Amino acid sequence: MRIQVAIIGAGPAGLLLGQLLHAYGIENIILERKNRAYVLARIRAGVLEQGTVSLLEEVGVAERLHREGLIHDGIELAFGGARHRIDMKQATGGKTVTIYGQTEVTRDLMDARDRIGLKTVYEADDVTLHDFDGKRPRVRYVKDGTTHEIECDFIAGCDGFHGVSRQSVTADAIRIFERVYPFGWLGILSETPPVSEELIYANHERGFALCSMRSHTRSRYYVQCSLDDHADHWSDDKFWDELKRRLDPEAVDRLVTGPSIEKSIAPLRSFVAEPMRFGRLFLAGDAAHIVPPTGAKGLNLAASDVHYLATALRELYSEKSEAGIGSYSQRALARVWKAERFSWWMTSILHRFPDTDDFSARIQNAELNYLVSSKAATAALSENYVGLPY
Ligand code: APR
Ligand code: PHB
């Protein structure tokens, strides 16, 4: 088989790239290791920047998002026993974020891909990448015991942090920048109304907490936990008790608890691989970088990467210009590093670290007070949270 672009991975990065390329008249196939149900069962963040929403609109996949998504104008920061609202819309001259689960984005993109009949091979085993340094890259995979080979112009590695694409590059061609944080997030999903209309990010001496949501009837809550903890050590009651201890009295009063429908622990990591292009192989999304979830940037960075990549490939196919693919890595990384900085900074001011002593606790408190009282600091937080321009 021959195709213009072979995409590895049917997460948000691969699926959105597929729709964008199709819109630009570029044929593509997606190879995904898991089955559809497995991909859709992964629960991840749900805060979309305006740029991400615009890309979904561009490919005609924003109808349900506009119907069901919640527009948020601000967030709340909780510390020192009180909550403080950050009006991001006001601070950014009108920008907002949309609350809509990544799972729903993935489902909408999969449905759109099916409707137009673009090929996705689920349960593609043993995907291997070949000759991306030359002119004729190839991808091999095994499906139902039979080996297949695809010849293509380009390979897009959208296969997440543990994918095969980044691992196919020789070690001396890639440089890794990494920070692993000494704690995790224990998260639960419950069919309960959210405690507040907006997200609450809490700094507490017992550790960070986050009150988020998926809809007016479904909530997502997190508490910072230790890395060696296990979700099954946490009964629902234990989770709710711990969350309450980290919230202000008014939020505790309003909190509606109920049985969890999902409970899991996620480690926190910052990671960047440079560059993001190796000949005719491009990395995009989690395959190239990871952010801790504190800034809600993971999915949004995947979206900006594939925007740069799709635009570059359009320039190549329709204008015969290699300028876009030549600068893809540099353009993508410039935005990636700003989001890495923001996510690292949000993580550092909101969590308890093993070495958080009284001095650093006071510094965090001063930083948070400054954030909610200085127009300039509020603006800096807000413009990053709603998303920096592409
Ligand atoms: N072959 C084929 N597919 C693979 C392989 C492989 N060897 N390895 C991984 N995959 C698939 C995974 O099963 C997954 O469906 O690639 C997909 C990668 O999807 P994501 O991990 O969701 O990554 P990405 O699309 O870049 O989305 C970034 O996801 O992890 C969150 O926080 C992150 O929100 C961000 C978003
Ligand atoms: C979530 O809703 O899961 C969520 C929201 C905001 C974050 C991280 C996770 O910063």
Side-chain angles (χ1 to χ4, degrees):
M1 175 185 192
R2 226 203 104 61
I3 196 136
Q4 287 171 309
V5 180
I7 300 173
I8 321 293
L15 289 164
L16 179 57
L17 178 64
Q19 293 306 114
L20 286 166
L21 293 180
H22 173 74
Y24 303 158
I26 302 168
E27 6 160 69
N28 62 85
I29 185 169
I30 299 184
L31 304 178
E32 164 61 50
R33 184 170 56 176
K34 303 287 186 185
N35 64 38
R36 209 185 144 102
Y38 182 97
V39 174
L40 285 174
R42 288 194 292 239
I43 297 184
R44 282 165 173 177
V47 179
L48 308 186
E49 297 174 355
Q50 185 52 52
T52 305
V53 172
S54 302
L55 287 170
L56 292 166
E57 284 168 348
E58 184 184 338
V59 296
V61 183
E63 196 223 332
R64 191 161 71 98
L65 180 159
H66 285 309
R67 211 171 50 232
E68 296 176 12
L70 309 174
I71 308 272
H72 281 196
D73 296 352
I75 56 170
E76 291 186 290
L77 294 178
F79 57 95
R83 259 183 293 151
H84 308 261
R85 179 163 190 266
I86 301 272
D87 189 334
M88 299 182 308
K89 187 173 184 183
Q90 191 185 40
T92 57
K95 293 194 179 135
T96 57
V97 292
T98 303
I99 306 299
Y100 189 67
Q102 177 172 320
T103 311
E104 307 309 320
V105 173
T106 307
R107 184 190 305 280
D108 294 345
L109 285 165
M110 280 177 173
D111 290 349
R113 190 169 176 90
D114 289 350
R115 271 199 303 276
I116 33 182
L118 297 181
K119 186 156 183 192
T120 313
V121 180
Y122 287 99
E123 297 177 307
D125 292 325
D126 302 331
V127 171
T128 50
L129 286 60
H130 308 270
D131 302 334
F132 49 82
D133 279 338
K135 285 221 147 121
R136 283 271 163 269
R138 284 167 300 116
V139 179
R140 266 189 226 130
Y141 66 97
V142 175
K143 172 75 184 171
D144 299 329
T146 310
T147 302
H148 301 261
E149 184 172 285
I150 301 172
E151 216 182 85
C152 54
D153 298 339
F154 297 99
I155 304 172
C158 301
D159 47 354
F161 183 63
H162 300 287
V164 64
S165 300
R166 192 183 68 251
Q167 287 164 27
S168 306
V169 175
T170 52
D172 59 349
I174 198 162
R175 188 159 172 210
I176 303 297
F177 302 82
E178 189 168 30
R179 183 133 307 174
V180 177
Y181 299 89
F183 40 73
W185 280 16
L186 168 66
I188 72 161
L189 195 62
S190 71
E191 296 292 357
T192 52
V195 64
S196 175
E197 291 207 349
E198 294 178 336
L199 271 55
I200 304 175
Y201 289 83
N203 172 309
H204 189 272
E205 60 185 35
R206 296 182 64 84
F208 171 75
L210 170 60
C211 306
S212 181
M213 65 192 75
R214 291 291 174 274
S215 69
H216 291 306
T217 56
R218 184 177 273 206
S219 300
R220 180 83 169 144
Y221 295 104
Y222 299 93
V223 293
Q224 175 184 347
C225 64
S226 82
L227 268 180
D228 51 20
D229 216 332
H230 290 281
D232 28 304
H233 293 168
W234 288 80
S235 66
D236 290 352
D237 284 346
K238 186 174 168 194
F239 180 90
W240 294 118
D241 284 346
E242 187 57 42
L243 179 65
K244 285 180 184 166
R245 295 174 85 159
R246 301 184 189 190
L247 298 177
D248 58 281
E250 201 225 337
V252 172
D253 265 0
R254 290 180 54 118
L255 182 71
V256 180
T257 63
S260 65
I261 48 179
E262 195 265 355
K263 196 187 282 147
S264 55
I265 293 183
L268 274 74
R269 182 194 297 267
S270 298
F271 175 97
V272 182
E274 292 187 2
M276 287 170 61
R277 176 194 175 193
F278 307 88
R280 286 171 175 264
L281 165 65
F282 301 92
L283 301 181
D286 277 17
H289 42 73
I290 296 283
V291 284
T294 327
K297 290 290 165 233
L299 169 62
N300 294 299
L301 274 186
S304 58
D305 285 354
V306 301
H307 159 72
Y308 294 133
L309 181 53
T311 315
L313 290 170
R314 175 167 68 171
E315 276 173 39
L316 182 87
Y317 283 110
S318 58
E319 296 159 30
K320 306 273 174 281
S321 162
E322 291 199 13
I325 60 166
S327 59
Y328 165 69
S329 180
Q330 207 189 339
R331 281 182 84 194
L333 281 167
R335 193 169 191 280
V336 165
W337 272 112
K338 287 181 192 142
E340 289 284 345
R341 183 210 65 86
F342 178 65
S343 308
W344 161 83
W345 170 76
M346 284 282 278
T347 304
S348 72
I349 62 168
L350 288 167
H351 291 77
R352 286 288 125 151
F353 288 71
D355 61 354
T356 302
D357 57 7
D358 291 349
F359 179 83
S360 29
R362 285 284 196 278
I363 292 288
Q364 282 187 337
N365 196 60
E367 177 126 28
L368 289 162
N369 265 314
Y370 176 57
L371 269 180
V372 299
S373 59
S374 151
K375 249 182 154 172
T378 295
L381 166 70
S382 301
E383 70 171 351
N384 280 280
Y385 195 90
V386 301
L388 294 172
Y390 285 1

